[in-house]
Amino acid sequence: QVQLVESGGRLVQAGGSLRLSCAASGRTFSNYAMGWFRQTPGKDREFVGVINYSGVYTTYADSVRGRFTISRDNAKNMVNLQMNSLKPEDTADYYCAAGVNYYRHDADSYSIWGQGTQVTVSS
């Protein structure tokens, strides 16, 4: 069973950059598509982006496309979310999640979740 731990969240000014990391344990990490989601109080988790098991393909939400980049290193069991040109509306708790279907972008399709890391973007 894969376990996930996110890190890197902090307070950053609008226009700045931040890199979130998700460390995975378990030998089957490379079998999973890895997604990033975010959540603000009172709202459902929002899809941010996903990378396929090999790292060749990525898909992003319209709200972050061109600003955020997901990468993974299967040898190190890591997946990263590089966030550039941050906006106050990017403020949220960010979660990485493991799923078996790269083409599914709903939270229910991801079975393994980290505990989340908080990102706050000040204006």
Side-chain angles (χ1 to χ4, degrees):
Q1 179 77 344
V2 171
Q3 292 183 320
L4 305 173
V5 178
E6 302 94 335
S7 62
R10 61 176 176 86
L11 174 65
V12 63
Q13 287 190 332
S17 297
L18 200 58
R19 185 178 180 89
L20 305 183
S21 294
C22 175
S25 62
R27 292 180 294 175
T28 59
F29 170 75
S30 60
N31 291 345
Y32 291 93
M34 294 299 299
W36 283 94
F37 290 78
R38 63 188 182 186
Q39 188 172 26
T40 54
K43 293 189 176 181
D44 293 335
R45 287 186 183 180
E46 175 192 13
F47 171 77
V48 172
V50 60
I51 189 166
N52 80 318
Y53 72 98
S54 66
V56 172
Y57 300 107
T58 52
T59 300
Y60 299 96
D62 290 345
S63 58
V64 306
R65 188 177 296 115
R67 300 188 298 122
F68 290 11
T69 302
I70 300 174
S71 61
R72 70 186 295 165
D73 184 338
N74 286 341
K76 296 182 179 179
N77 278 13
M78 292 286 294
V79 61
N80 298 307
L81 177 65
Q82 178 67 42
M83 304 186 293
N84 299 328
S85 302
L86 283 161
K87 304 175 181 179
E89 51 263 43
D90 294 319
T91 295
D93 292 326
Y94 283 74
Y95 298 85
C96 66
V100 297
N101 190 334
Y102 166 76
Y103 296 101
R104 296 299 299 265
H105 303 159
D106 56 300
D108 289 342
S109 294
Y110 290 76
S111 56
I112 304 169
W113 291 82
Q115 84 290 348
T117 187
Q118 188 173 56
V119 173
T120 303
V121 184
S122 64
S123 57

